[in-house]
Amino acid sequence: MSDDTQDKVNSEARENALGQRKPRIKPIVEAADSLSLGISMVVAVLLGVGIGWLLKRWTGIEWLFWVGVFIGVAAAILNIYKAYSKQYKEFEKLAKEDRYAIKKQLEDDEDEDYGEKNY
């Protein structure tokens, strides 16, 4: 085999190898993303508490601590909302795929009129 042909075979083999690795890594990345939601909630609340504590310490006003706590909790809720929105979009994509068309078939079956029921 010539060098050009060998290089072409090697590059195709590398592309195939890379193509096979992607599906194995994707679930790990998705799992880490889901895990990061819990971590980001804890971090958001801790940062809020830290901000509140610093504001209280610098100004001497006691209720500023609770403002920081509220900011941290609000940030955690925002993180949950963002994660929910992302997952909902993924669900919508899956619902539109043909292999999950059973829902549409069931809805079409409900529209059919079978006549009166005689008990």
Side-chain angles (χ1 to χ4, degrees):
M1 245 192 274
S2 70
D3 288 336
D4 292 333
T5 308
Q6 185 65 32
D7 289 340
K8 190 174 184 179
V9 170
N10 287 340
S11 66
E12 288 176 5
R14 271 188 251 119
E15 287 176 10
N16 288 338
L18 291 175
Q20 291 173 355
R21 288 185 195 160
K22 286 182 183 178
R24 286 189 268 167
I25 293 174
K26 185 176 180 182
I28 295 170
V29 171
E30 289 173 353
D33 189 35
S34 298
L35 177 65
S36 70
L37 175 63
I39 293 170
S40 70
M41 289 174 53
V42 171
V43 169
V45 172
L46 289 177
L47 283 173
V49 168
I51 289 170
W53 181 76
L54 284 174
L55 288 173
K56 177 184 151 190
R57 188 161 181 194
W58 287 342
T59 62
I61 302 171
E62 296 288 325
W63 58 268
L64 284 179
F65 173 76
W66 295 106
V67 170
V69 171
F70 176 76
I71 289 170
V73 170
I77 291 170
L78 182 64
N79 288 340
I80 293 170
Y81 176 75
K82 287 179 180 180
Y84 172 78
S85 297
K86 182 179 177 181
Q87 291 298 319
Y88 190 77
K89 287 178 186 175
E90 291 294 322
F91 169 74
E92 290 294 320
K93 285 182 191 177
L94 286 176
K96 292 178 183 176
E97 288 186 15
D98 290 338
R99 62 182 169 172
Y100 301 114
I102 189 71
K103 181 179 177 184
K104 183 172 173 137
Q105 292 172 359
L106 291 174
E107 289 172 354
D108 291 342
D109 290 344
E110 289 175 2
D111 292 340
E112 295 177 12
D113 187 16
Y114 293 108
E116 284 188 32
K117 294 182 180 179
N118 296 324
Y119 292 105

